[in-house]
Amino acid sequence: MAESVSVDMEMIFLGGKEHHIQTGCGSVSVIVCGDQEKPALITYPDIALNYMSCFQGLFFCPEATSLLLHNFCIYHISPPGHELGAAAICSDDPVPSAEDLADQIIEVLNYFRLGAVMCMGVSSGAYILSLFATKYRERVLGLILVSPLCKSPSWTEWFYNKVMSNLLYFYGVCGLLKECLLQRYFSKEVRGNAEFPESEIVQACRKLLDERKGINVFRFLQAINERPDITEGLKRLKCRTLIFVGDSSPFHSEALHMTSKLDRRYTALVEVQGCGSMVTEEQPHAMLVPMEYFLMGYGLYRPCHFSDSPRSPLSPSCISPELLSPESMGLKLKPIKTRVLL
């Protein structure tokens, strides 16, 4: 049975509070933001990231905050040892598998007495939430996935992850390891080059990576590199799914594959041009309008005092008319493919 120690310290990020929940596979940090009487939205970040480095770009958008916190209580789940200030996990502790990490989520939900939840994840985090959805379909209202994975690693990804694992094992979160991770997260446009400096979001992410413990990242990476293919399980999902992917993401083809395997009646795809994997940080405004229409299908809206965002690169005219039909707003979400033009 899960136990929790609540940290009374107010977190800077959205005023959330941290809970450390003991599960069958170790302690999990959960940051709770908002009114716990509201429906729950859980988030799960990519490798070496946590809620601060993976979702702050999105949640710092006033429009996204109004949409999400108006309708949900947010539960930011960190992979073991990825929370702010985490100590190194003992090397003798068993390394959890991807399935173990998915099972940790059900323990978190049960601890907070949550029923069915909305899920939002990025890359490896999207995989863990998708695996969770295939195992516990009745506990998932919908999926918002950013550059998701669903197949076992390709040889290229497996080898790349092995290189990162060796770097972590021998050198920790060294400079070369950080460069590998930044290439995974961001497009080359924001990573900079000899002519242009790297963007502020990349600089901020680089600094946040400095506090990661190599052994903790190594353990999550090992679980992801040994992940099973969940394609067959995806075919049985009936919850609505909204997928975002940057066209410069190394997981672009994986996201397209996943979209093709989900039930087309409940799945929508948004491709974002000139963006890497972490759309939540690199182009968070590209997510606003698709998320708003996606959530309308659940009867959820932004507060009326927020008008259409003038900063959003999407407008309602960019959304397929089929997505706005009464049928799709009630029972089905039609498949769309929207490209965000800069």
Side-chain angles (χ1 to χ4, degrees):
M1 184 174 178
E3 298 178 357
S4 169
V5 178
S6 179
V7 178
D8 293 331
M9 178 186 68
E10 286 290 321
M11 303 301 294
I12 296 174
F13 183 59
L14 292 179
K17 290 188 177 181
E18 183 173 22
H19 300 256
H20 289 282
I21 299 174
Q22 294 298 328
T23 72
C25 294
S27 177
V28 177
S29 168
V30 183
I31 305 290
V32 182
C33 304
D35 181 357
Q36 290 183 253
E37 296 300 315
K38 293 182 178 180
L41 184 152
I42 65 173
T43 72
Y44 210 102
D46 195 14
I47 288 171
L49 303 176
N50 53 38
Y51 74 105
M52 278 295 292
S53 46
C54 196
F55 297 103
Q56 70 171 346
L58 176 64
F59 281 89
F60 278 4
C61 292
E63 300 89 345
T65 300
S66 68
L67 174 65
L68 297 175
L69 280 180
H70 176 71
N71 292 296
F72 297 102
C73 180
I74 315 297
Y75 296 78
H76 295 293
I77 303 175
S78 291
H82 281 54
E83 66 272 18
L84 292 172
I89 299 174
C90 178
S91 58
D92 293 333
D93 289 354
V95 177
S97 66
E99 293 225 6
D100 292 332
L101 297 176
D103 289 338
Q104 281 186 328
I105 296 174
I106 198 68
E107 294 191 65
V108 170
L109 267 56
N110 289 342
Y111 171 78
F112 287 109
R113 299 181 180 179
L114 301 176
V117 299
M118 187 70 69
C119 300
M120 179 187 294
V122 176
S123 298
S124 297
Y127 174 85
I128 297 298
L129 292 178
S130 299
L131 176 58
F132 169 75
T134 63
K135 296 187 69 175
Y136 304 98
R137 284 179 287 173
E138 73 284 356
R139 303 297 290 271
V140 177
L141 284 174
L143 294 167
I144 301 173
L145 307 176
V146 181
S147 304
L149 312 172
C150 69
K151 296 186 292 184
S152 297
S154 65
W155 280 109
T156 301
E157 185 196 347
W158 182 89
F159 179 77
Y160 196 79
N161 288 345
K162 276 296 183 181
V163 170
M164 290 199 294
S165 293
N166 287 335
L167 288 171
L168 285 164
Y169 186 82
F170 290 106
Y171 303 106
V173 185
C174 59
L176 181 57
L177 186 278
K178 285 188 281 189
E179 292 303 322
C180 292
L181 290 171
L182 293 173
Q183 288 183 30
R184 174 190 178 95
Y185 305 148
F186 299 109
S187 67
K188 62 182 179 181
E189 286 79 8
V190 297
R191 294 200 311 272
N193 52 40
E195 296 182 15
F196 301 99
E198 63 184 18
S199 70
E200 291 183 1
I201 59 171
V202 177
Q203 293 175 19
C205 186
R206 186 187 297 275
K207 290 179 181 178
L208 288 168
L209 288 174
D210 284 337
E211 75 148 33
R212 293 281 80 77
K213 304 299 183 184
I215 185 63
N216 301 357
V217 179
F218 175 87
R219 291 162 62 88
F220 188 22
L221 182 58
Q222 185 171 336
I224 291 301
N225 211 30
E226 297 175 359
R227 68 182 186 267
D229 189 318
I230 58 172
T231 300
E232 289 302 314
L234 295 175
K235 296 177 181 178
R236 297 190 291 271
L237 290 182
K238 297 301 180 184
C239 65
R240 302 180 188 194
T241 304
L242 177 60
I243 295 177
F244 294 92
V245 64
D247 65 356
S248 297
S249 168
F251 308 119
H252 180 264
S253 61
E254 183 94 3
L256 299 184
H257 169 80
M258 183 171 184
T259 302
S260 71
K261 299 304 178 182
L262 288 162
D263 192 323
R264 293 178 60 83
R265 295 172 297 171
Y266 309 112
T267 305
L269 170 68
V270 179
E271 294 180 79
V272 184
Q273 286 191 342
C275 189
S277 296
M278 202 153 44
V279 184
T280 51
E281 292 294 308
E282 192 169 343
Q283 292 194 35
H285 287 96
M287 300 179 65
L288 297 178
V289 172
M291 282 199 309
E292 187 164 358
Y293 283 103
F294 178 73
L295 295 177
M296 281 182 185
Y298 297 88
L300 303 175
Y301 301 87
R302 273 195 296 173
C304 60
H305 61 274
F306 273 85
S307 59
D308 287 339
S309 170
R311 293 183 291 164
S312 175
L314 288 177
S315 65
S317 62
C318 297
I319 304 298
S320 166
E322 293 181 342
L323 185 61
L324 307 181
S325 68
E327 179 187 36
S328 66
M329 288 294 98
L331 296 176
K332 299 178 181 178
L333 179 63
K334 296 290 184 177
I336 62 171
K337 184 177 182 181
T338 302
R339 292 186 180 273
V340 182
L341 302 177
L342 300 180

